[in-house]
Amino acid sequence: MSSYTLGTPQKAFPGAYIQTPANSKYQNRQLNPRSNSAVSQQQNALQHQGQDVHAGGGQKPGVEDLQPIARAAKAVNEALTEESRYPDLDSYIGQGISSEYEVNAQSAWAPFQKVKMHTIPDRIFEQYNRAQVSTIMGLFADFNHAWVAIDNALYLWDYTHPNPDLVSFEEQPHTITAVRLAVPRPGVFIPSVVRILVVATTAEMILIGMSTQPAPHGGSSVGLYSLRMSMPIKGLDVTVIEGSASTGRVFFSGNSSDDVYEFAYQQEERWFQNRCTKINHTSKGYSTLTPSTFWGSKSRKEILVQMIVDDTRNLLYTLSNRSTIRTFHIKDNDALDLMITKPLGQTLSNVGHMTSQSELISPSMRLVSISAITANEATKTHLMTTTSTGCRIFMSATSSYGYYSSSSSAPTSMQVQHVKFPPADNSSSQPYQATSTQMTTYSNNPTINTSSRALIPTRTAVRYAPGYFLAFVARDPQAGTDLLFLSGPDTARIAQPQDQGRLAKYSELALWLNLGSRAEDIGLATGPFSAGPSPVGFGNELAVQFDKPTSEIAVLTNTGVHMLRRRRLVDIFAAALRLGGGDEGLEGEVKKFIRQYGRDETASTALAVACGQASDVTSDSRLARIQDPDILEHARKAFIEYGGKPLFNENSMLDQSIPAIDLVRPSPRHKGLSLYISRLVRSIWKAPIMIEGVTLSGGLAIRSSVSMNKLQDISLDLTKLKDFLNVNKSFIEGLAGPEALGNVNTKQEEISLQAEHRALHALVVLIENVIEGIAFVLVLYDEKIEEIVLSLPNETRQQVRDLSYEGLCTTAIGKSLAKDLVKGIVNRNISSGSNVETVAEALRRRCGSFCSTEDVVTFKAQEYVKRGSEAGPESEVCREYLNESLRLFLQVAGSLSMEQLGWVVKHYVALQFYAGSIQLCLEKAKESDRGNRALTWIQENRPQGDKRQEAFESRKRCYELVHYVIRSIDQSRTETADRLDGHLTLSGKRREEAADQIDTSEDEVFQTNLYDWYLSENRQDRLLEVESPYVTSYLKRRSEDDIAHADLYWRYYVQKGQYEDAAVIQLELAKSEFKLSLDQRIEYLGNAKTNASTTKPGIRRSIRNEVLREISDLLDVANIQSDLLQRLKGDSRITADRRPVVIQELDGNILPLSVLFNTYCEPAHYFDLCILIYEAADHRVASDIKATWQNLLERVHTEAEVQDNGPEPYEMVAETVRSLGTKLGLSETMFPVTTLLPMLKRYAFNFQPNAGPETWVLDIFLDLQVPFETIWGILENMFYNDEQPFQGRNRRFIGNDMVYVARLWLQESIRGSGMLYGSEDSAYSVSQMLHLIMQNGLDEGRLEQCQNLRMRIETMLR
């Protein structure tokens, strides 16, 4: 039953499904790019593990916006991640029992196959026939050698060789009782001694050195060396020897006791210690821990029958003839401590808690073998022991800290974890039943067979990682032959359990083999299996079936060495296709494969077979790739026809923000292709392309992390895959092209097909990239790679050191680093005199994406530069080479890297090719931003965070090289002059060419950057000298937010003689919001007035006058504000807190007159400023003006009176009026003399009698150059009007003033040589008025003056 229940379906929203009549939001929506999150990656990984996207509404996918290569890399990484999660051994060997096997009668589905049998050489039989005491045999399978000990002689031979030579050891006289191959202690022997033979005889144990070297036929040849190391063991009768591969320690035991000894050896003898020593690690009496009776009967003598070392946990396991298992802890100080003793009774007791009484688990059975399970393979499970009844008992060791590992304390107890019972008695003839794989828990499985006698009696057994089990069954002891039962994990079924909600089940495939003889020894001919460094993923045979050699097991019998090969899933599938025969049989086999292993794995396996990955044993016992056209065709059809379809996850359409194409799960065909690619490249994907080391002399040594042969094999397999997809793309849904859209019937099918094409196309691109990437690495190692790497910059070298094949083939930085390496290759060949075109063309053919056509052109251009350098900068040939190189560089400017461009500019400058370097830089900048987005970004005031800024930065890097060229030009000027004897020098000509290239450039972004650089370098004068239409637009744009640029703006116009434009800019600056003081604004207005007043032909006077009038008006206001500011700074009436605020408000922007008047002047009684404001505002209300003047006189008089030792009040009044008159320019409105003169006369009469000169009032107006006629007329009116206070006798004061004015007027007339008093009529009028004055009375002094004056006038009139 499923582990979930279906809930009530939600009501469908309109548009949630394609068929819904309502408008669906996703149908016409563009893709919304969004970065992929870790959550979406996990969800995608879960979907690819076989989860139904429709179950429970499905997982919400993430929006993707990936380039094809990134999408494919993501798919490969997900496949690798998924395969790295292959269940660990502990997950399917849980607490309980099981008996699941598939012992198929069909050889096509067999998990192992017999490759061949190597016969024992006749020379061995000849020696055997001479045996007198004993003969023992064994294997050194990892070296493809077998051995036989006949009496005192030991013989070794290469069993894979048809006529091998015997390697013998006969230098001792004693009978050999045991032989073991061990790893020597580090540092004890010379490096050529890679192994040591531990030979036990009846009298001593001997160490023999063994060296290996490759043999011509492909195997290994061995040589034996006398090490002169031995020790006496007489009486021990050694039969069991075991060595530790990590420490080189050798342990042994014999038939005399169950003690564990160690053969300790060292390089030299020491005080009280020989080179070889025997150590008894159990003589302290561990046997006292074991009961002397066993199951109620008197125990027989206990001896050890097997030892096994687990170096990953530093443990030594022993098995005795009483079926007692002991666990020892191998310590670093050469100690060996007994930690656990597990008698058979305890083992039976543990098993009794898991199953009811079984005759297979009883006191009558015995343990026949033990096999260690390393920490890399399992965390909990430590050991497997096999019973004589064929049961496998898996045990776990624990310590006080939990399950034991080498990093924790030593184990203290051992418990049975799982029991695997033998297959059914009739399993050899009964085909596999599908019902036997249905997922049920071990403890409740009613079909577990606990009584099968199929493996009775098991004589011995062995287990190899990741679970290969070989049991030798001697059903007829008299016949002297063994039946071999072989089983191995059904990896594909464990990886994809049918019930996703439960743990994987320990499923096994098995077969029986009749050896026809008795097995003597078993060995693993290939290296230990490992698909990963940790338990999770360790046993995944599927992942490494194309990456590592297939496991082979050698079984030595008395007739020969039988070679058994583990069959890969791809081999099984190919054999099943052959067995299926026609189309109907093919369909049955494929469907069976899909039922058992899923559609994803089926598609991957079929594709591998179609690409020629399957192997089989030929009739002449050779292993060869299957090339049968019928099988390849069947596999092709299986991949195409049974690859499934993409699934559209309708349940996720509730989230309308996700593009519909991202809701499609690609087909199992896509997953199968991803799996196959990941399995081909898994060994190189994360591996670095190089590993650095040091030579013996201290130099750099670089080697590949992957062998060249391996790289070539991967490239060949990928090329076959690429060809297969190319040939069959018209038949593969998703690769067929646009015409396939004609076969879709619904929008949903169309979207699904688009998603499938997107996914498959990405993988096709990845295949091509990896093929080229490998080709590039192969080319790289064909060169002197150390020289190439050393030529790189340190940062680039570190990046190359860290570069993996994944990064090389799928990332932009990988391509960039590859180009750096290509450049290093080319440069090295150029320096060595090789033809660069030949080298570059060879690179382009082998790995075009790393060395494109543009790269070839670039390399050719670089060679021209080098030739020019060799010719010298002064030669004409050099200039021809440089011009040709520039032509080529301009063709590929867009593809040049900044480093390449910098290299070119540096060489061009050294050869004084300034114009060419500038032209190339500008062309590169243009190519990097063809849409000219940088200019629009600048024109919009450079908004931060805008994507167009990247385009500007890209261009800026090119322009910085132009700056370098300009500096170089300036430096060259200090060395050579531009002209000599009036003629342009060669250097001067080249500098002029460069200047012309800069000035005529139409790249506005460049011009803008250049002007910015000029200013940053304090080259303002150089900017003002530029003749370019872009200067004004640049300065105008930059002056909007920078006062310095604004100053340059008007200065530029002044220098060019455009004074009116300069005045306009200065006027705008005076009115701007820049933080300018009032004085600065007045200065701008003053300069603007000067510039606007400067006449120049071609400027309309009306426009100039309009500008000038605006400047003048604003300047008047500014001056008033300045006076106000200075007045307020010294006004004691303002508080200390208020004063800074007032100053800040006034010492800045020019304020409106209304603000100045209403806010400051009028409230502060600054009446003089009020009058100036009237003038500026053209306020002509006479009453307001008169009142203000009156207030002004009163205030000045009052202030003067309160001052001590200050000027007299009349003096201050006179100065105030005189100053205002000057400022007002005797304005008739604002300085009404007809009003002010009487007003002052009254003031003098009433408030300042007898103060100062009698005529001080008249002197004010005379100093201001008021016309005599005006003053005379006003006084005359005052005399006739008889107004207060000048009535009666007081009229004489007016008369005195008139006499004074008449006298001065006369003097002025005489000096000017003009008419007397301007005209005769005026003279007669003055004379008559003087007569009238005399009649009304004058002061005594004035009367005489008046008489004389009148007489003089009369005389002059005659």
Side-chain angles (χ1 to χ4, degrees):
M1 181 178 295
S2 300
S3 60
Y4 63 89
T5 57
L6 295 175
T8 304
Q10 296 181 353
K11 181 179 179 180
F13 292 96
Y17 298 93
I18 300 293
Q19 295 82 0
T20 304
N23 291 329
S24 179
K25 296 182 180 179
Y26 71 84
Q27 294 185 24
N28 298 315
R29 185 171 67 244
Q30 297 295 324
L31 293 178
N32 296 322
R34 187 176 70 191
S35 61
N36 201 14
S37 65
V39 174
S40 64
Q41 293 176 358
Q42 294 174 1
Q43 292 169 346
N44 290 336
L46 289 174
Q47 289 180 355
H48 284 296
Q49 289 181 27
Q51 291 186 352
D52 189 351
V53 294
H54 298 290
Q59 296 287 339
K60 178 181 177 181
V63 179
E64 297 180 331
D65 185 20
L66 301 176
Q67 295 297 321
I69 190 64
R71 187 180 303 280
K74 179 173 179 286
V76 170
N77 281 319
E78 287 177 351
L80 290 172
T81 301
E82 180 181 337
E83 296 212 304
S84 69
R85 297 187 185 127
Y86 179 85
D88 62 325
L89 182 65
D90 296 324
S91 66
Y92 56 86
I93 301 183
Q95 190 75 24
I97 62 175
S98 63
S99 64
E100 288 75 28
Y101 297 88
E102 180 185 343
V103 185
N104 204 313
Q106 297 177 346
S107 61
W109 291 81
F112 295 89
Q113 65 181 153
K114 183 177 179 180
V115 179
K116 67 183 303 182
M117 186 187 77
H118 302 285
T119 59
I120 298 176
D122 293 338
R123 294 172 59 189
I124 296 297
F125 285 112
E126 293 175 2
Q127 296 294 332
Y128 176 75
N129 293 330
R130 300 173 185 169
Q132 299 179 356
V133 180
S134 67
T135 301
I136 53 176
M137 302 176 68
L139 285 173
F140 302 146
D142 48 347
F143 292 104
N144 297 327
H145 275 65
W147 60 269
V148 60
I150 303 174
D151 294 338
N152 66 325
L154 175 64
Y155 301 100
L156 285 73
W157 74 94
D158 182 356
Y159 56 75
T160 62
H161 197 282
N163 187 24
D165 295 328
L166 294 185
V167 179
S168 62
F169 172 69
E170 302 173 325
E171 285 76 16
Q172 60 86 31
H174 307 290
T175 301
I176 297 174
T177 59
V179 177
R180 188 69 175 179
L181 189 65
V183 176
R185 281 180 178 269
V188 175
F189 307 111
I190 59 176
S192 60
V193 177
V194 295
R195 293 288 189 274
I196 53 174
L197 281 178
V198 185
V199 180
T201 70
T202 55
E204 61 181 350
M205 289 185 72
I206 306 169
L207 295 186
I208 303 171
M210 188 174 83
S211 64
T212 64
Q213 57 184 6
H217 67 278
S220 298
S221 62
V222 301
L224 301 183
Y225 302 92
S226 174
L227 300 177
R228 298 180 181 180
M229 284 189 173
S230 63
M231 68 175 184
I233 55 167
K234 192 170 184 179
L236 292 183
D237 192 14
V238 174
T239 56
V240 180
I241 305 174
E242 183 63 31
S244 168
S246 63
T247 64
R249 298 174 67 178
V250 176
F251 306 100
F252 63 93
S253 185
N255 288 331
S256 61
S257 69
D258 56 358
D259 290 337
V260 175
Y261 296 88
E262 180 176 356
F263 188 159
Y265 56 95
Q266 58 191 16
Q267 189 174 22
E268 297 177 352
E269 292 187 2
R270 300 175 185 173
W271 289 100
F272 308 109
Q273 190 173 8
N274 297 325
R275 292 182 66 194
C276 300
T277 307
K278 177 180 64 177
I279 304 173
N280 188 337
H281 288 289
T282 56
S283 61
K284 297 180 181 180
Y286 81 86
S287 59
T288 58
L289 301 176
T290 308
S292 60
T293 58
F294 187 68
W295 289 92
S297 61
K298 186 176 181 180
S299 61
R300 66 184 184 278
K301 179 181 178 181
E302 186 174 19
I303 61 173
L304 300 185
V305 296
Q306 188 180 1
M307 288 183 180
I308 193 79
V309 170
D310 181 357
D311 283 313
T312 63
R313 293 187 173 95
N314 293 330
L315 296 179
L316 169 68
Y317 304 103
T318 66
L319 175 64
S320 73
N321 59 343
R322 295 181 183 174
S323 298
T324 298
I325 299 173
R326 294 180 177 88
T327 303
F328 296 84
H329 184 210
I330 304 174
K331 293 187 174 182
D332 294 336
N333 57 357
D334 289 342
L336 185 71
D337 294 345
L338 174 65
M339 304 306 301
I340 303 170
T341 298
K342 187 82 173 175
L344 180 60
Q346 290 185 11
T347 303
L348 294 174
S349 176
N350 292 158
V351 175
H353 294 292
M354 299 180 182
T355 181
S356 58
Q357 188 67 28
S358 171
E359 63 179 3
L360 301 182
I361 305 294
S362 66
S364 61
M365 63 90 180
R366 61 187 179 88
L367 304 182
V368 297
S369 68
I370 55 175
S371 298
I373 298 174
T374 64
N376 297 336
E377 187 176 1
T379 302
K380 298 179 182 179
T381 310
H382 290 58
L383 187 70
M384 187 201 81
T385 180
T386 306
T387 70
S388 58
T389 56
C391 296
R392 282 175 278 170
I393 302 176
F394 295 87
M395 296 183 175
S396 63
T398 58
S399 66
S400 58
Y401 295 96
Y403 288 99
Y404 173 73
S405 68
S406 59
S407 60
S408 64
S409 62
T412 56
S413 65
M414 180 175 285
Q415 302 295 327
V416 173
Q417 181 78 11
H418 185 83
V419 178
K420 185 69 181 278
F421 284 91
D425 292 340
N426 58 350
S427 60
S428 60
S429 59
Q430 184 174 350
Y432 162 77
Q433 299 295 328
T435 57
S436 66
T437 64
Q438 294 177 355
M439 189 64 191
T440 56
T441 59
Y442 290 128
S443 58
N444 297 323
N445 189 349
T447 63
I448 295 178
N449 187 346
T450 61
S451 59
S452 172
R453 301 180 61 82
L455 299 183
I456 296 178
T458 296
R459 185 173 61 83
T460 187
V462 68
R463 179 190 184 275
Y464 297 112
Y468 308 147
F469 176 63
L470 292 82
F472 297 89
V473 182
R475 292 184 177 173
D476 185 3
Q478 302 299 324
T481 60
D482 289 330
L483 283 176
L484 174 58
F485 175 77
L486 296 93
S487 68
D490 194 349
T491 309
R493 190 177 298 175
I494 293 173
Q496 298 286 347
Q498 291 184 352
D499 189 343
Q500 297 287 340
R502 297 184 181 273
L503 295 176
K505 190 175 182 180
Y506 191 9
S507 302
E508 289 188 284
L509 297 175
L511 80 157
W512 287 91
L513 284 179
N514 190 346
L515 297 177
S517 56
R518 177 184 172 89
E520 300 293 340
D521 199 4
I522 313 111
L524 193 61
T526 53
F529 178 87
S530 174
S534 61
V536 176
F538 176 89
N540 194 351
E541 295 181 273
L542 300 176
V544 298
Q545 59 181 324
F546 313 123
D547 181 53
K548 292 186 176 182
T550 305
S551 297
E552 291 189 3
I553 301 171
V555 178
L556 175 65
T557 68
N558 51 16
T559 58
V561 180
H562 301 259
M563 300 303 300
L564 307 177
R565 173 179 175 268
R566 170 66 163 169
R567 300 183 73 208
R568 304 169 299 169
L569 190 65
V570 65
D571 303 329
I572 294 175
F573 185 76
L577 294 179
R578 177 189 288 127
L579 180 66
D583 291 342
E584 294 183 2
L586 169 66
E587 181 178 1
E589 293 297 326
V590 173
K591 288 184 176 180
K592 176 181 177 182
F593 221 80
I594 293 174
R595 283 195 307 270
Q596 292 190 187
Y597 304 131
R599 200 175 289 271
D600 294 348
E601 193 59 55
T602 301
S604 175
T605 307
L607 178 62
V609 174
C611 292
Q613 286 287 356
S615 301
D616 201 1
V617 178
T618 62
S619 57
D620 57 350
S621 299
R622 289 186 303 104
L623 189 65
R625 292 279 184 100
I626 295 178
Q627 300 297 331
D628 187 336
D630 293 337
I631 296 178
L632 299 183
E633 175 63 19
H634 291 332
R636 185 191 73 88
K637 291 178 62 177
F639 176 73
I640 295 174
E641 298 177 5
Y642 295 93
K645 294 183 176 294
L647 295 179
F648 186 85
N649 188 2
E650 295 177 342
N651 294 328
S652 294
M653 282 311 300
L654 297 179
D655 186 354
Q656 301 293 341
S657 64
I658 302 175
I661 196 171
D662 288 333
L663 300 176
V664 178
R665 174 189 170 187
S667 67
R669 183 185 299 106
H670 167 268
K671 181 59 181 297
L673 178 57
S674 301
L675 278 173
Y676 182 53
I677 295 174
S678 69
R679 290 167 181 174
L680 291 179
V681 303
R682 73 183 308 272
S683 62
I684 67 171
W685 190 248
K686 300 294 182 181
I689 65 171
M690 64 179 64
I691 298 176
E692 289 191 5
V694 180
T695 63
L696 295 177
S697 60
L700 176 66
I702 295 179
R703 62 180 178 86
S704 174
S705 62
V706 184
S707 69
M708 296 297 105
N709 290 336
K710 180 67 175 178
L711 290 175
Q712 291 170 350
D713 291 343
I714 294 174
S715 179
L716 179 60
D717 290 338
L718 288 172
T719 301
K720 291 180 180 179
L721 174 59
K722 173 186 173 183
D723 295 341
F724 173 84
L725 295 176
N726 186 52
V727 170
N728 295 281
K729 63 182 180 181
S730 59
F731 306 105
I732 300 174
E733 183 177 341
L735 290 180
E739 58 272 12
L741 292 174
N743 300 325
V744 300
N745 298 318
T746 65
K747 186 68 175 180
Q748 177 181 354
E749 291 182 1
E750 180 182 347
I751 294 173
S752 298
L753 185 59
Q754 291 172 350
E756 180 78 357
H757 170 75
R758 182 178 71 171
L760 289 177
H761 172 70
L763 292 176
V764 171
V765 173
L766 175 64
I767 294 170
E768 295 175 350
N769 278 24
V770 177
I771 292 173
E772 288 200 354
I774 293 175
F776 171 73
V777 174
L778 294 174
V779 170
L780 191 62
Y781 281 97
D782 285 341
E783 302 286 334
K784 293 184 178 180
I785 188 171
E786 289 82 4
E787 295 181 9
I788 297 171
V789 172
L790 287 174
S791 68
L792 300 175
N794 290 334
E795 182 179 356
T796 304
R797 177 178 168 184
Q798 180 59 43
Q799 291 176 326
V800 170
R801 186 187 298 118
D802 299 335
L803 182 63
S804 65
Y805 282 88
E806 177 191 9
L808 174 67
C809 301
T810 66
T811 64
I813 189 173
K815 287 293 180 71
S816 176
L817 293 174
K819 288 184 178 294
D820 290 336
L821 291 169
V822 168
K823 184 179 68 175
I825 294 174
V826 173
N827 289 340
R828 196 191 71 81
N829 281 274
I830 291 176
S831 62
S832 63
S834 302
N835 189 310
V836 65
E837 291 188 59
T838 303
V839 175
E841 186 62 29
L843 285 168
R844 189 190 65 79
R845 287 196 308 269
R846 296 183 63 177
C847 42
S849 61
F850 297 97
C851 184
S852 60
T853 304
E854 290 80 6
D855 295 330
V856 175
V857 175
T858 301
F859 297 143
K860 187 175 181 180
Q862 287 177 333
E863 187 174 18
Y864 278 123
V865 174
K866 287 184 176 292
R867 291 179 182 176
S869 299
E870 295 170 357
E874 304 298 331
S875 67
E876 196 64 33
V877 176
C878 172
R879 194 59 44 173
E880 292 177 0
Y881 281 138
L882 294 181
N883 286 328
E884 180 62 20
S885 70
L886 178 61
R887 184 186 67 82
L888 295 175
F889 279 130
L890 291 175
Q891 292 178 8
V892 295
S895 63
L896 289 177
S897 67
M898 288 307 302
E899 185 178 355
Q900 290 173 322
L901 183 62
W903 182 90
V904 176
V905 170
K906 179 181 177 182
H907 283 75
Y908 276 1
V909 168
L911 298 171
Q912 296 185 1
F913 193 36
Y914 306 122
S917 59
I918 294 172
Q919 184 180 358
L920 180 58
C921 290
L922 296 183
E923 183 66 21
K924 169 61 179 177
K926 177 183 175 182
E927 290 296 322
S928 67
D929 179 28
R930 291 189 175 185
N932 216 7
R933 296 185 301 158
L935 180 59
T936 60
W937 179 72
I938 291 174
Q939 292 172 341
E940 296 177 11
N941 294 325
R942 312 183 184 210
Q944 293 297 318
D946 196 295
K947 291 184 177 180
R948 293 172 296 179
Q949 185 175 359
E950 298 178 2
F952 173 77
E953 294 296 334
S954 177
R955 283 186 159 209
K956 183 180 177 182
R957 288 189 288 271
C958 301
Y959 301 149
E960 288 172 350
L961 291 174
V962 179
H963 303 164
Y964 164 74
V965 176
I966 295 174
R967 288 195 190 96
S968 301
I969 292 173
D970 293 342
Q971 178 64 31
S972 69
R973 281 197 174 96
T974 64
E975 300 170 356
T976 57
D978 288 342
R979 293 182 178 274
L980 185 64
D981 297 333
H983 298 286
L984 194 65
T985 64
L986 181 60
S987 298
K989 180 180 178 181
R990 292 171 178 174
R991 288 191 285 265
E992 283 194 358
E993 291 174 352
D996 184 66
Q997 191 72 40
I998 293 174
D999 292 340
T1000 59
S1001 171
E1002 298 181 356
D1003 186 348
E1004 187 172 353
V1005 181
F1006 163 66
Q1007 297 289 359
T1008 300
N1009 174 266
L1010 179 65
Y1011 305 151
D1012 284 338
W1013 180 69
Y1014 280 156
L1015 297 180
S1016 68
E1017 296 283 313
N1018 294 322
R1019 300 188 181 191
Q1020 289 85 352
D1021 294 340
R1022 191 160 188 172
L1023 174 61
L1024 297 178
E1025 296 170 358
V1026 172
E1027 295 287 345
S1028 172
Y1030 299 113
V1031 177
T1032 55
S1033 60
Y1034 165 79
L1035 291 174
K1036 180 181 179 181
R1037 183 169 57 249
R1038 297 306 299 269
S1039 64
E1040 294 176 357
D1041 54 8
D1042 184 32
I1043 187 66
H1045 287 87
D1047 283 335
L1048 285 174
Y1049 194 13
W1050 66 260
R1051 284 176 57 193
Y1052 181 81
Y1053 279 127
V1054 169
Q1055 186 156 324
K1056 302 303 178 185
Q1058 297 174 256
Y1059 300 109
E1060 183 183 359
D1061 293 329
V1064 171
I1065 297 171
Q1066 290 167 331
L1067 174 61
E1068 293 300 323
L1069 284 175
K1071 300 190 298 184
S1072 69
E1073 295 297 325
F1074 287 121
K1075 290 183 179 181
L1076 299 173
S1077 68
L1078 185 59
D1079 289 341
Q1080 289 175 305
R1081 295 178 188 274
I1082 292 173
E1083 182 182 358
Y1084 280 126
L1085 289 171
N1087 293 332
K1089 189 173 182 178
T1090 301
N1091 288 324
S1093 302
T1094 304
T1095 59
K1096 186 178 180 181
I1099 300 177
R1100 288 188 300 173
R1101 180 173 299 179
S1102 59
I1103 297 176
R1104 181 173 61 85
N1105 290 340
E1106 182 179 350
V1107 173
L1108 186 59
R1109 183 171 56 254
E1110 182 179 359
I1111 294 171
S1112 298
D1113 291 345
L1114 190 60
L1115 183 58
D1116 291 340
V1117 177
N1119 286 326
I1120 294 171
Q1121 184 172 330
S1122 178
D1123 292 342
L1124 175 61
L1125 174 62
Q1126 298 305 319
R1127 193 81 56 85
L1128 289 172
K1129 286 182 178 180
D1131 198 324
S1132 60
R1133 296 173 294 173
I1134 303 177
T1135 63
D1137 294 337
R1138 174 66 178 161
R1139 190 182 307 277
V1141 177
V1142 172
I1143 293 175
Q1144 183 178 1
E1145 290 176 352
L1146 291 174
D1147 195 13
N1149 292 342
I1150 301 175
L1151 302 178
L1153 287 171
S1154 59
V1155 175
L1156 296 178
F1157 182 86
N1158 295 319
T1159 305
Y1160 298 102
C1161 293
E1162 200 276 335
H1165 296 170
Y1166 296 152
F1167 298 114
D1168 55 339
L1169 298 182
C1170 291
I1171 294 171
L1172 292 175
I1173 291 174
Y1174 291 158
E1175 171 70 14
D1178 198 20
H1179 183 73
R1180 296 176 179 272
V1181 180
S1183 59
D1184 292 343
I1185 297 170
K1186 182 179 180 181
T1188 304
W1189 273 106
Q1190 187 66 48
N1191 292 334
L1192 174 62
L1193 296 180
E1194 291 177 2
R1195 182 179 178 193
V1196 172
H1197 177 78
T1198 303
E1199 290 178 351
E1201 284 186 330
V1202 300
Q1203 292 183 5
D1204 297 332
N1205 300 323
E1208 294 293 331
Y1210 83 90
E1211 293 178 330
M1212 291 188 64
V1213 169
E1215 181 59 31
T1216 300
V1217 175
R1218 188 180 291 107
S1219 174
L1220 266 178
T1222 303
K1223 292 181 178 179
L1224 294 172
L1226 300 180
S1227 169
E1228 294 181 1
T1229 305
M1230 301 303 147
F1231 195 81
V1233 179
T1234 56
T1235 301
L1236 292 177
L1237 182 56
M1239 185 184 298
L1240 288 170
K1241 288 299 295 179
R1242 287 192 292 271
Y1243 165 76
F1245 182 83
N1246 293 328
F1247 299 101
Q1248 293 291 296
N1250 303 320
E1254 181 183 355
T1255 60
W1256 68 268
V1257 174
L1258 296 177
D1259 290 339
I1260 294 173
F1261 295 100
L1262 291 174
D1263 291 344
L1264 292 172
Q1265 297 181 357
V1266 176
F1268 288 99
E1269 295 93 329
T1270 303
I1271 298 174
W1272 180 265
I1274 296 171
L1275 292 174
E1276 187 177 21
N1277 289 336
M1278 291 178 64
F1279 186 83
Y1280 282 122
N1281 289 341
D1282 196 23
E1283 296 178 351
Q1284 287 287 346
F1286 304 107
Q1287 295 176 334
R1289 183 168 173 77
N1290 289 340
R1291 291 175 68 185
R1292 70 180 187 277
F1293 295 109
I1294 301 301
N1296 293 336
D1297 289 342
M1298 295 183 74
V1299 172
Y1300 177 70
V1301 171
R1303 181 172 59 83
L1304 293 178
W1305 194 359
L1306 176 62
Q1307 293 174 358
E1308 182 68 23
S1309 299
I1310 295 173
R1311 280 198 303 268
S1313 300
M1315 294 293 293
L1316 189 65
Y1317 291 108
S1319 65
E1320 269 187 47
D1321 292 340
S1322 296
Y1324 279 118
S1325 176
V1326 170
S1327 177
Q1328 292 176 0
M1329 190 63 193
L1330 291 174
H1331 177 71
L1332 180 62
I1333 291 171
M1334 288 188 297
Q1335 291 178 351
N1336 282 275
L1338 291 171
D1339 290 339
E1340 185 175 347
R1342 293 293 185 184
L1343 180 58
E1344 184 179 356
Q1345 291 179 6
C1346 184
Q1347 291 175 348
N1348 294 332
L1349 180 61
R1350 187 170 181 272
M1351 290 176 63
R1352 190 176 180 187
I1353 294 172
E1354 290 294 336
T1355 301
M1356 295 178 70
L1357 286 174
R1358 294 192 187 101

